[in-house]
mmCIF file of all heavy atoms in Angstrom:
data_model
loop_
_atom_site.group_PDB
_atom_site.id
_atom_site.type_symbol
_atom_site.label_atom_id
_atom_site.label_comp_id
_atom_site.label_asym_id
_atom_site.label_seq_id
_atom_site.Cartn_x
_atom_site.Cartn_y
_atom_site.Cartn_z
ATOM 1 N N THR A 1281 15.607 -16.180 21.365
ATOM 2 C CA THR A 1281 15.580 -16.502 19.926
ATOM 3 C C THR A 1281 14.098 -16.907 19.512
ATOM 4 O O THR A 1281 13.643 -16.474 18.390
ATOM 5 C CB THR A 1281 16.445 -17.759 19.572
ATOM 6 O OG1 THR A 1281 17.779 -17.412 20.012
ATOM 7 C CG2 THR A 1281 16.473 -18.138 18.114
ATOM 8 N N GLY A 1291 5.342 -10.099 11.921
ATOM 9 C CA GLY A 1291 5.561 -8.891 11.171
ATOM 10 C C GLY A 1291 5.509 -9.131 9.585
ATOM 11 O O GLY A 1291 4.937 -8.370 8.882
ATOM 12 N N GLY A 1310 16.239 -1.564 1.905
ATOM 13 C CA GLY A 1310 17.399 -1.476 2.802
ATOM 14 C C GLY A 1310 16.929 -1.868 4.234
ATOM 15 O O GLY A 1310 16.056 -2.631 4.392
ATOM 16 N N GLY A 1321 5.871 -6.596 14.007
ATOM 17 C CA GLY A 1321 6.001 -7.794 14.866
ATOM 18 C C GLY A 1321 6.040 -7.379 16.316
ATOM 19 O O GLY A 1321 5.516 -8.046 17.205
ATOM 20 N N LEU A 1340 -5.198 -14.602 39.210
ATOM 21 C CA LEU A 1340 -5.043 -14.139 40.519
ATOM 22 C C LEU A 1340 -6.387 -13.952 41.201
ATOM 23 O O LEU A 1340 -6.602 -14.329 42.401
ATOM 24 C CB LEU A 1340 -4.238 -12.880 40.621
ATOM 25 C CG LEU A 1340 -3.961 -12.105 41.885
ATOM 26 C CD1 LEU A 1340 -3.170 -13.038 42.859
ATOM 27 C CD2 LEU A 1340 -3.231 -10.777 41.657
ATOM 28 N N GLN A 1348 -11.267 -17.398 49.368
ATOM 29 C CA GLN A 1348 -12.102 -16.629 50.271
ATOM 30 C C GLN A 1348 -13.507 -17.142 50.497
ATOM 31 O O GLN A 1348 -14.079 -16.917 51.484
ATOM 32 C CB GLN A 1348 -12.097 -15.064 49.879
ATOM 33 C CG GLN A 1348 -10.768 -14.495 49.885
ATOM 34 C CD GLN A 1348 -10.229 -14.321 51.382
ATOM 35 O OE1 GLN A 1348 -10.972 -14.118 52.267
ATOM 36 N NE2 GLN A 1348 -8.883 -14.451 51.439
ATOM 37 N N LEU A 1352 -17.058 -22.063 47.135
ATOM 38 C CA LEU A 1352 -16.522 -22.184 45.735
ATOM 39 C C LEU A 1352 -15.245 -22.888 45.738
ATOM 40 O O LEU A 1352 -14.512 -22.854 44.652
ATOM 41 C CB LEU A 1352 -16.338 -20.727 45.162
ATOM 42 C CG LEU A 1352 -17.599 -20.004 44.890
ATOM 43 C CD1 LEU A 1352 -17.197 -18.529 44.394
ATOM 44 C CD2 LEU A 1352 -18.656 -20.597 43.908
ATOM 45 N N ASP A 1363 1.086 -20.934 39.525
ATOM 46 C CA ASP A 1363 1.233 -22.121 38.762
ATOM 47 C C ASP A 1363 1.566 -21.669 37.170
ATOM 48 O O ASP A 1363 2.248 -22.422 36.599
ATOM 49 C CB ASP A 1363 -0.024 -23.023 38.772
ATOM 50 C CG ASP A 1363 -0.109 -23.576 40.198
ATOM 51 O OD1 ASP A 1363 0.850 -23.623 40.885
ATOM 52 O OD2 ASP A 1363 -1.332 -23.985 40.557
ATOM 53 N N GLN A 1373 9.214 -21.282 29.352
ATOM 54 C CA GLN A 1373 8.285 -20.913 30.422
ATOM 55 C C GLN A 1373 6.874 -20.656 29.752
ATOM 56 O O GLN A 1373 6.722 -20.168 28.764
ATOM 57 C CB GLN A 1373 8.737 -19.589 31.128
ATOM 58 C CG GLN A 1373 10.047 -19.820 31.802
ATOM 59 C CD GLN A 1373 10.529 -18.588 32.584
ATOM 60 O OE1 GLN A 1373 9.921 -17.515 32.383
ATOM 61 N NE2 GLN A 1373 11.578 -18.611 33.247
ATOM 62 N N SER A 1412 -1.719 7.896 -1.527
ATOM 63 C CA SER A 1412 -1.167 8.807 -2.499
ATOM 64 C C SER A 1412 -0.907 10.127 -1.910
ATOM 65 O O SER A 1412 -0.085 10.961 -2.604
ATOM 66 C CB SER A 1412 -2.096 8.824 -3.734
ATOM 67 O OG SER A 1412 -3.276 9.498 -3.420
ATOM 68 N N LEU A 1435 9.588 13.718 -20.299
ATOM 69 C CA LEU A 1435 10.629 12.584 -20.077
ATOM 70 C C LEU A 1435 11.994 13.166 -20.064
ATOM 71 O O LEU A 1435 12.248 14.356 -20.445
ATOM 72 C CB LEU A 1435 10.507 11.658 -21.325
ATOM 73 C CG LEU A 1435 9.069 11.066 -21.538
ATOM 74 C CD1 LEU A 1435 9.150 10.002 -22.678
ATOM 75 C CD2 LEU A 1435 8.466 10.444 -20.288
ATOM 76 N N MET A 1444 -4.491 11.755 -21.345
ATOM 77 C CA MET A 1444 -5.337 11.324 -20.182
ATOM 78 C C MET A 1444 -4.572 10.122 -19.507
ATOM 79 O O MET A 1444 -4.364 9.106 -20.246
ATOM 80 C CB MET A 1444 -6.722 10.958 -20.681
ATOM 81 C CG MET A 1444 -7.499 12.235 -21.195
ATOM 82 S SD MET A 1444 -9.187 11.859 -21.613
ATOM 83 C CE MET A 1444 -9.945 11.503 -20.018
ATOM 84 N N SER A 1449 0.914 2.133 -12.174
ATOM 85 C CA SER A 1449 1.434 1.017 -11.353
ATOM 86 C C SER A 1449 2.626 1.402 -10.650
ATOM 87 O O SER A 1449 3.591 1.811 -11.126
ATOM 88 C CB SER A 1449 1.593 -0.229 -12.218
ATOM 89 O OG SER A 1449 2.217 -1.236 -11.492
ATOM 90 N N GLU A 1471 17.424 24.798 -27.136
ATOM 91 C CA GLU A 1471 17.873 26.219 -27.106
ATOM 92 C C GLU A 1471 16.865 27.016 -26.321
ATOM 93 O O GLU A 1471 17.222 27.600 -25.295
ATOM 94 C CB GLU A 1471 18.242 26.664 -28.461
ATOM 95 C CG GLU A 1471 19.378 25.951 -29.064
ATOM 96 C CD GLU A 1471 19.811 26.578 -30.363
ATOM 97 O OE1 GLU A 1471 19.189 27.620 -30.839
ATOM 98 O OE2 GLU A 1471 20.776 25.985 -31.078
ATOM 99 N N ASN A 1480 -0.641 15.734 -33.212
ATOM 100 C CA ASN A 1480 -1.839 16.208 -32.742
ATOM 101 C C ASN A 1480 -2.809 15.208 -32.661
ATOM 102 O O ASN A 1480 -3.572 15.037 -33.657
ATOM 103 C CB ASN A 1480 -2.288 17.478 -33.415
ATOM 104 C CG ASN A 1480 -3.404 18.191 -32.593
ATOM 105 O OD1 ASN A 1480 -4.090 17.570 -31.955
ATOM 106 N ND2 ASN A 1480 -3.490 19.577 -32.688
ATOM 107 N N TRP A 1484 -6.580 14.196 -34.744
ATOM 108 C CA TRP A 1484 -6.742 12.958 -35.535
ATOM 109 C C TRP A 1484 -7.985 12.179 -35.042
ATOM 110 O O TRP A 1484 -8.747 11.685 -35.788
ATOM 111 C CB TRP A 1484 -5.581 12.180 -35.271
ATOM 112 C CG TRP A 1484 -5.625 10.709 -35.811
ATOM 113 C CD1 TRP A 1484 -6.069 9.659 -35.080
ATOM 114 C CD2 TRP A 1484 -5.306 10.355 -37.081
ATOM 115 N NE1 TRP A 1484 -5.921 8.474 -35.979
ATOM 116 C CE2 TRP A 1484 -5.494 8.921 -37.163
ATOM 117 C CE3 TRP A 1484 -4.741 10.949 -38.298
ATOM 118 C CZ2 TRP A 1484 -5.257 8.268 -38.349
ATOM 119 C CZ3 TRP A 1484 -4.554 10.247 -39.422
ATOM 120 C CH2 TRP A 1484 -4.750 8.801 -39.470
ATOM 121 N N ARG A 1486 -10.718 13.541 -33.709
ATOM 122 C CA ARG A 1486 -11.948 14.320 -34.210
ATOM 123 C C ARG A 1486 -12.192 14.010 -35.688
ATOM 124 O O ARG A 1486 -13.253 13.713 -36.143
ATOM 125 C CB ARG A 1486 -11.745 15.772 -33.956
ATOM 126 C CG ARG A 1486 -11.797 16.239 -32.530
ATOM 127 C CD ARG A 1486 -12.021 17.774 -32.422
ATOM 128 N NE ARG A 1486 -10.893 18.453 -33.155
ATOM 129 C CZ ARG A 1486 -9.910 18.905 -32.506
ATOM 130 N NH1 ARG A 1486 -9.739 18.611 -31.142
ATOM 131 N NH2 ARG A 1486 -8.963 19.518 -33.056
ATOM 132 N N SER A 1494 -15.276 4.049 -29.352
ATOM 133 C CA SER A 1494 -15.562 3.710 -30.759
ATOM 134 C C SER A 1494 -15.036 2.313 -31.270
ATOM 135 O O SER A 1494 -14.152 1.838 -30.674
ATOM 136 C CB SER A 1494 -14.828 4.771 -31.639
ATOM 137 O OG SER A 1494 -13.554 4.770 -31.428
ATOM 138 N N PRO A 1496 -14.107 -0.111 -34.897
ATOM 139 C CA PRO A 1496 -13.216 -1.142 -34.243
ATOM 140 C C PRO A 1496 -12.031 -0.595 -33.627
ATOM 141 O O PRO A 1496 -11.327 -1.293 -32.956
ATOM 142 C CB PRO A 1496 -12.927 -2.038 -35.483
ATOM 143 C CG PRO A 1496 -12.795 -0.996 -36.673
ATOM 144 C CD PRO A 1496 -13.909 -0.058 -36.372
ATOM 145 N N MET A 1500 -7.878 4.008 -27.094
ATOM 146 C CA MET A 1500 -6.954 3.168 -26.309
ATOM 147 C C MET A 1500 -5.943 2.445 -27.212
ATOM 148 O O MET A 1500 -4.824 2.076 -26.724
ATOM 149 C CB MET A 1500 -7.747 2.134 -25.534
ATOM 150 C CG MET A 1500 -8.611 2.624 -24.413
ATOM 151 S SD MET A 1500 -7.473 3.424 -23.135
ATOM 152 C CE MET A 1500 -6.584 1.996 -22.457
ATOM 153 N N PHE A 1502 -4.067 3.944 -29.097
ATOM 154 C CA PHE A 1502 -2.971 4.812 -29.111
ATOM 155 C C PHE A 1502 -2.160 4.981 -27.932
ATOM 156 O O PHE A 1502 -1.339 5.989 -27.812
ATOM 157 C CB PHE A 1502 -3.353 6.161 -29.799
ATOM 158 C CG PHE A 1502 -3.969 6.123 -31.143
ATOM 159 C CD1 PHE A 1502 -5.323 5.888 -31.269
ATOM 160 C CD2 PHE A 1502 -3.164 6.284 -32.233
ATOM 161 C CE1 PHE A 1502 -5.935 5.763 -32.461
ATOM 162 C CE2 PHE A 1502 -3.723 6.231 -33.456
ATOM 163 C CZ PHE A 1502 -5.126 6.013 -33.600
ATOM 164 N N SER A 1515 2.743 17.205 -14.466
ATOM 165 C CA SER A 1515 1.920 18.382 -14.063
ATOM 166 C C SER A 1515 0.583 18.352 -14.685
ATOM 167 O O SER A 1515 0.369 17.617 -15.738
ATOM 168 C CB SER A 1515 2.649 19.746 -14.342
ATOM 169 O OG SER A 1515 2.899 19.809 -15.687
#
Side-chain angles (χ1 to χ4, degrees):
T1281 303
L1340 175 62
Q1348 293 296 326
L1352 297 178
D1363 294 338
Q1373 294 180 353
S1412 67
L1435 305 185
M1444 300 183 66
S1449 174
E1471 296 181 359
N1480 192 327
W1484 174 269
R1486 288 195 301 269
S1494 60
M1500 289 298 294
F1502 299 88
S1515 62

